[in-house]
Amino acid sequence: MTGEPGRGARTSYLAANWKMHKTVAEAAEFIDGLLPRIAATRHDVVVCPPFTALSEVVERSRGSAVRVAAQNMHEAESGAFTGEVSASMLVALDVEAVVLGHSERRRHFGETDEALARKVPAAVAAGLEPILCVGESEEARDAGQTEAVLEAQLQADLAEVEPTDLARVVIAYEPIWAIGTGRTATPEQAEEVAAFIRDVVRQRGAAADDVRILYGGSVKPANAAELLGRPEIDGALVGGASLDPADFAAIVEAAA
Ligand code: PGA
């Protein structure tokens, strides 16, 4: 990974997005299975459990390479927002990152770019690392709109982030047609889009070569190495294959 032109010092970043899976006991079992398998890793390994298992995963992972991310947060510090959780509540648990703008939240829970324009800077201000998800639908890709859709999402969601803070944002390119479908973008498709995303970030005046850009969408042990071998792809956001510690450890290994 070092020595690639343009790759700079970006540390590989592998994130396990469990979505609405695992009780506290199941989360504990996963971490006990994962830690010995990744003991030697030098990558950033991030586990994103549901809110109910955050504390357990933080405590079990102390002293290891694993850092913990939430799957969502509200942009306000506190207030009358039933069912929501703020950045400071996550920080108080020693959660270090937060997934924002996942397509499932955009689609099923009405998460808008307007909300993300507030959430991303709120996360940064609280000291959380946002993992901002962007991606096009199959219709948009077929219509040749992939770049237009991504550029609109990025410009809106990052509008209120200071250029000097942009390198603290991790961006996950997740084509909607590849999530949970078993259809993975080809390494060429994923790399082309990652390079495009980096150009959009560069236009914001940021140190774009420091921004980690992940690919997500049906990443598995069998396809991880070729995706992660691409110089523009700095890691993966893994859903289904992250539920099993051996599979997720194999994906972490594939980034070596
Ligand atoms: P998948 O999910 O790996 O199951 O396709 C990826 C994601 O939604 O982040």
Side-chain angles (χ1 to χ4, degrees):
M1 155 188 342
T2 48
E4 296 282 2
R7 180 79 186 242
R10 297 192 299 272
T11 304
S12 294
Y13 194 105
L14 293 309
N17 176 17
W18 288 354
K19 311 190 180 185
M20 196 171 73
H21 293 283
K22 296 196 190 291
T23 62
V24 171
E26 289 163 349
E29 195 183 333
F30 175 97
I31 295 299
D32 290 350
L34 180 68
L35 294 187
R37 291 182 160 97
I38 58 149
T41 191
R42 288 187 299 166
H43 304 320
D44 279 345
V45 179
V46 176
V47 175
C48 319
F51 288 129
T52 44
L54 285 171
S55 239
E56 178 71 21
V57 174
V58 167
E59 297 309 327
R60 288 222 170 215
S61 304
R62 283 199 198 281
S64 79
V66 171
R67 296 189 298 127
V68 182
Q71 297 175 16
N72 181 35
M73 57 162 242
H74 194 277
E75 68 268 25
E77 183 59 24
S78 60
F81 301 108
T82 301
E84 293 289 319
V85 164
S86 73
S88 63
M89 294 172 187
L90 299 172
V91 169
L93 289 180
D94 288 342
V95 168
E96 295 181 58
V98 59
V99 177
L100 294 174
H102 192 281
S103 61
E104 288 154 13
R105 293 217 57 86
R106 293 178 189 256
R107 193 174 356 176
H108 302 308
F109 304 102
E111 177 130 284
T112 61
D113 286 322
E114 291 70 32
L116 290 162
R118 297 187 294 270
K119 287 184 178 200
V120 180
V124 170
L128 289 173
E129 179 174 75
I131 305 170
L132 173 66
C133 303
V134 294
E136 82 286 3
S137 64
E138 183 157 35
E139 300 74 54
R141 178 163 279 266
D142 290 347
Q145 293 297 308
T146 298
E147 293 191 351
V149 166
L150 293 169
E151 175 151 21
Q153 289 175 341
L154 290 164
Q155 297 291 10
D157 302 350
L158 297 174
E160 302 301 326
V161 179
E162 296 295 332
T164 47
D165 284 336
L166 277 171
R168 296 164 64 190
V169 181
V170 174
I171 299 173
Y173 167 53
E174 297 212 310
I176 297 169
W177 46 271
I179 295 178
T181 59
R183 272 179 72 197
T184 317
T186 65
E188 293 75 20
Q189 284 172 325
E191 166 138 72
E192 193 182 322
V193 173
F196 174 76
I197 290 172
R198 202 175 302 285
D199 283 343
V200 174
V201 174
R202 190 170 284 116
Q203 286 162 28
R204 286 285 321 277
D209 289 330
D210 294 337
V211 174
R212 262 87 62 87
I213 300 177
L214 319 181
Y215 167 77
S218 300
V219 176
K220 310 220 167 338
N223 61 24
E226 57 172 359
L227 287 158
L228 295 168
R230 296 282 164 155
E232 285 293 332
I233 301 175
D234 303 317
L237 181 55
V238 188
S242 78
L243 295 171
D244 178 82
D247 284 350
F248 185 57
I251 292 169
V252 173
E253 181 97 348

